[in-house]
């Protein structure tokens, strides 16, 4: 059973230092959050898992880390200036603004009034000024998706790596959208991270690659602990497709507030590379692209048999890191009843995602021999490079176990007087709460095997 409500997750995240409202001491900033000491580890681990699967385990994908500040021409030719909008309505009575597609029965979501303006398009991109002169022309955008910087680097990557299609470029990074109504904790925010792959394929092979990536992505979420039966596969109806898409499948997850998009997997055709390319008329482009007068690069590949230039099609699995964090937290959250009318909160995260992999706990807080030995064990385990290991020297074993259950630490290692004599420790397992006595030399093997799960 996952969490019952968003409030449980929000409260755990604040209490234990996963996620905080940004600038809280000044009243916050709507739709923007900060990741605390544990949140930063969890988020990094999720991104690492994505990068390992999408880049390291394949020979047909290369990585990229491009800039956030984006030349306005990129977002002109991508179609974002024209079409990256949500329909906005104002309530004439309470003056609140909301998305027209979020309204039910034509009533204001805040006061119930039906005295609303007609919907009008509201562009979601953030602009900022570049350089010391601030005029109408000196602006750039904060990227609204990481994808465009992949398309504009297509030629650089091909030229520097000699890749041939099919191949992909992967990127993880921030994206910014001036959402009309940010809400549901980190689900819909104005500053977030995406994990995107743009996979370039031959036209005609695009549909089978689309199927392939849908399966791959569902299986990856399962490996992160997201139950398959809580993911719905939604074929986005034609009339709701983005301007670039021939077909999109959304992986819809049962978040605490409802079933919503976790990841989108789109067939973007040859629209993007075609729109950003020069000499468009010579490239056999199959979709209606934007007539480009500014690009200095031909974003196409030559067919070795026919010698014709072709613009690759793009299959794009695009996942939100923050929505991923919310989904894995939701899946892992459990409240369990124990004996003697007690209960515990446990975060049954997959160990590779856990912010802390092991806590080393000296049984006596003030005993130098035990504390020194504990530090030695902590240092040895930390040096393995398997993730964070902490020394938990509170002197209260029960309290330490509760804390580490709540933050998802897979094992606690207790050092006592026998440890000094026979070099054995007690290992307590988070999920079963069982305790085992093992040799200190076996700790490395145990940790390594846990992280394979
Ligand atoms: N490049 C394609 C693209 O950006 P999208 O469906 O708009 O497609 C992809 O976004 C993913 O980014 C979504 O599935 C979601 O996980 C995440 N995302 C989008 N908007 C978000 C927001 N305002 N807050 C948090 N995550 C968001």
């Amino acid at each position: 059973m996952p969490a019952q409500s968003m409030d449980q997750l929000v409260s755990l995240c604040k209490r234990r230092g996963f996620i905080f409202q940004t600038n809280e001491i000044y009243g916050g900033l709507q739709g923007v959050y900060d990741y605390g000491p544990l949140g930063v580890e969890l988020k990094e681990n999720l991104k690492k898992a994505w990068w390992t699967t999408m880049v390291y385990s394949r020979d047909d994908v290369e990585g990229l880390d491009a800039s956030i500040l984006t030349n306005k021409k990129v977002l002109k030719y991508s179609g974002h200036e024209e079409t990256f909008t949500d329909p906005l309505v104002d309530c004439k009575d309470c003056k609140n603004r909301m998305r027209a597609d979020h309204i039910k029965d034509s009533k204001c979501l805040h006061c119930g009034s039906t005295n609303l303006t007609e919907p009008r398009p509201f562009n979601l991109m953030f602009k900022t000024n570049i350089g010391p002169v601030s005029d109408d022309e000196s602006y750039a955008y904060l990227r609204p998706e990481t994808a465009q910087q992949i398309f504009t680097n297509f030629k650089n990557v091909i030229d520097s790596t000699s890749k041939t299609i099919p191949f992909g470029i992967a990127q993880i990074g921030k994206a910014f959208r001036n959402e009309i109504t940010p809400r549901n904790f980190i689900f819909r925010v104005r500053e977030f991270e995406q994990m995107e792959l743009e996979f370039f394929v031959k036209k005609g092979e695009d549909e089978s690659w689309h199927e392939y990536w849908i399966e791959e992505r569902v299986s990856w979420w399962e490996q992160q602990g997201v139950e398959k039966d809580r993911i719905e596969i939604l074929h986005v109806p034609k009339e709701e497709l983005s301007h670039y898409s021939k077909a999109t499948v959304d992986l819809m997850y049962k978040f605490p507030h409802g079933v919503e998009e976790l990841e989108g997997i789109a067939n973007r055709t040859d629209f993007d590379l075609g729109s950003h390319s020069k000499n468009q008329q010579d490239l056999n482009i199959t979709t209606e692209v934007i007539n480009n007068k500014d690009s200095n690069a031909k974003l196409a590949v030559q067919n070795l048999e026919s010698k014709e230039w072709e613009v690759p099609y793009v299959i794009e699995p695009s996942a939100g890191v923050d929505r991923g964090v919310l989904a894995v937290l939701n899946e892992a959250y459990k409240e369990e009843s124990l004996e003697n009318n007690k209960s515990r909160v446990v975060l049954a995260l997959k160990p590779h995602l856990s912010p802390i992999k092991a806590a080393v706990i000296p049984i006596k807080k003030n005993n130098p021999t035990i504390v020194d030995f504990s530090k030695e064990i902590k240092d040895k385990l930390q040096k393995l490079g398997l993730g964070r290991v902490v020394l938990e020297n509170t002197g209260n074993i029960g309290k330490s176990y509760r804390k580490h259950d709540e933050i998802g630490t897979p094992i606690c290692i207790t050092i006592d007087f026998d440890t000094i004599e026979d070099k054995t420790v007690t290992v307590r397992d988070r999920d079963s709460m069982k305790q085992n006595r093992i040799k200190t030399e076996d700790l490395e093997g145990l940790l390594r095997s846990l992280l394979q799960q």
Side-chain angles (χ1 to χ4, degrees):
M1 263 304 263
Q4 302 294 305
S5 73
M6 191 72 96
D7 287 348
Q8 287 171 321
L9 296 181
V10 175
S11 148
L12 174 76
C13 284
K14 165 105 204 225
R15 190 170 70 246
R16 290 299 187 187
F18 281 90
I19 299 164
F20 309 122
Q21 192 192 5
T22 199
N23 304 154
E24 208 175 352
I25 62 166
Y26 289 109
L29 191 61
Q30 218 200 349
V32 191
Y33 287 88
D34 296 339
Y35 285 77
L38 296 179
V40 66
E41 298 292 337
L42 171 58
K43 193 180 183 198
E44 271 312 305
N45 291 339
L46 190 67
K47 292 194 281 182
K48 218 184 291 163
W50 188 90
W51 198 261
T52 301
T53 302
M54 304 295 270
V55 183
Y56 294 160
S57 72
R58 312 182 61 100
D59 288 317
D60 56 1
V61 174
E62 298 292 335
L64 182 76
D65 181 17
S67 68
I68 286 168
L69 288 174
T70 308
N71 187 323
K72 53 185 176 294
K73 286 183 189 155
V74 173
L75 294 150
K76 170 183 168 187
Y77 289 111
S78 69
H80 282 76
E81 280 193 336
E82 194 69 29
T83 57
F84 196 59
T85 57
D86 274 340
L88 171 75
V89 293
D90 289 289
C91 173
K92 292 183 193 161
D93 290 336
C94 74
K95 311 291 181 215
N96 270 301
R97 293 184 144 180
M98 60 219 95
R99 260 172 70 167
D101 54 331
H102 286 168
I103 291 177
K104 289 198 185 85
D105 304 328
S106 310
K107 284 190 183 141
C108 170
L109 294 170
H110 302 273
C111 70
S113 163
T114 52
N115 193 11
L116 305 176
T117 60
E118 283 300 310
R120 61 189 185 285
F122 173 78
N123 196 296
L124 300 182
M125 289 196 291
F126 281 104
K127 273 183 184 172
T128 188
N129 267 88
I130 293 268
V133 181
S134 172
D135 59 29
D136 285 353
E137 280 310 302
S138 63
Y139 66 92
Y141 289 108
L142 303 188
R143 64 186 180 195
E145 58 172 7
T146 70
Q148 293 307 321
Q149 310 292 56
I150 296 182
F151 301 132
T152 56
N153 273 295
F154 175 77
K155 194 169 172 335
N156 286 335
V157 175
I158 288 238
D159 289 350
S160 57
T161 63
S162 311
K163 279 273 177 281
T164 52
I165 57 168
F167 86 99
I169 304 176
Q171 179 168 219
I172 300 178
K174 291 259 181 175
F176 300 82
R177 295 182 189 177
N178 195 4
E179 296 283 352
I180 296 170
T181 40
R183 56 183 172 177
N184 294 318
F185 194 32
I186 53 170
F187 176 81
R188 187 179 306 286
V189 281
R190 290 183 168 135
E191 174 175 343
F192 56 98
E193 277 191 88
Q194 292 184 314
M195 308 183 277
E196 297 199 298
L197 171 70
E198 307 302 323
F199 198 76
F200 303 101
V201 303
K202 223 174 146 50
K203 178 182 175 262
E205 293 172 7
D206 51 310
E207 289 178 12
S208 56
W209 276 110
H210 196 193
E211 288 306 314
Y212 167 86
W213 279 111
I214 295 163
E215 271 177 38
E216 286 289 301
R217 297 303 305 145
V218 172
S219 139
W220 185 81
W221 283 111
E222 272 188 279
Q223 289 156 31
Q224 311 318 309
V226 178
E227 287 277 340
K228 199 174 178 179
D229 60 10
R230 275 195 285 280
I231 296 181
E232 284 174 25
I233 293 186
L234 175 84
H235 291 263
V236 176
K238 278 257 174 306
E239 61 280 10
E240 287 174 27
L241 290 175
S242 304
H243 59 280
Y244 50 73
S245 172
K246 164 178 164 184
T248 297
V249 161
D250 283 345
L251 305 186
M252 306 290 283
Y253 172 72
K254 205 163 184 292
F255 288 99
H257 64 278
V259 178
E260 293 223 49
E261 179 186 336
L262 172 64
E263 168 160 356
I265 303 149
N267 182 341
R268 295 182 73 130
T269 67
D270 55 2
F271 174 83
D272 301 281
L273 292 181
S275 292
H276 286 304
S277 194
K278 69 172 184 181
N279 301 348
Q280 290 166 315
Q281 66 287 352
D282 304 331
L283 302 181
N284 302 300
I285 298 169
T286 64
T287 49
E288 203 177 313
V289 293
I290 301 171
N291 182 12
N292 198 316
K293 298 192 190 76
D294 294 306
S295 169
N296 57 26
K298 184 157 70 177
L299 306 183
V301 292
Q302 199 169 22
N303 185 317
L304 293 179
E305 283 153 26
S306 67
K307 304 292 177 214
E308 291 276 308
W309 286 93
E310 293 169 355
V311 176
Y313 267 45
V314 174
I315 305 301
E316 177 199 63
S318 171
V321 178
D322 310 78
R323 288 188 191 178
V325 166
L326 189 58
V328 296
L329 279 172
N330 185 50
E331 288 288 312
Y333 186 96
K334 293 187 175 73
E335 282 182 10
E336 285 180 359
S337 305
L338 306 174
E339 287 165 6
N340 307 330
N341 276 343
K342 289 193 173 151
S343 65
R344 69 164 183 159
V345 171
V346 57
L347 212 48
L349 289 167
K350 291 274 182 188
H352 71 275
L353 294 179
S354 294
I356 294 169
K357 308 303 178 198
V360 183
I361 310 175
I363 200 151
K364 280 262 184 245
K365 183 174 158 183
N366 298 322
N367 182 305
T369 315
I370 289 190
V371 173
D372 286 351
F373 197 82
S374 304
K375 278 188 190 150
E376 227 175 86
I377 291 196
K378 179 235 138 106
D379 288 345
K380 266 194 196 144
L381 294 177
Q382 188 61 70
K383 282 192 184 128
L384 297 173
L386 301 172
R388 187 150 197 212
V389 177
V390 295
L391 180 80
E392 189 67 58
N393 194 14
T394 60
N396 185 331
I397 304 274
K399 231 175 164 177
S400 299
Y401 285 167
R402 286 291 160 275
K403 169 181 164 184
H404 283 280
D405 284 348
E406 241 184 72
I407 65 176
T409 309
I411 51 169
C412 288
I413 302 162
T414 303
I415 313 300
D416 56 24
F417 292 101
D418 289 342
T419 311
I420 312 298
E421 298 299 317
D422 62 7
K423 306 285 180 287
T424 62
V425 293
T426 301
V427 174
R428 181 214 183 243
D429 178 78
R430 173 195 72 197
D431 299 334
S432 66
M433 294 186 284
K434 287 207 176 104
Q435 301 189 15
N436 270 326
R437 198 83 194 164
I438 71 166
K439 292 193 190 125
T440 53
E441 67 199 40
D442 293 336
L443 282 170
E444 175 178 345
L446 174 69
L447 211 50
R448 285 190 190 282
S449 73
L450 268 175
L451 294 174
Q452 300 297 322
Q453 286 176 12

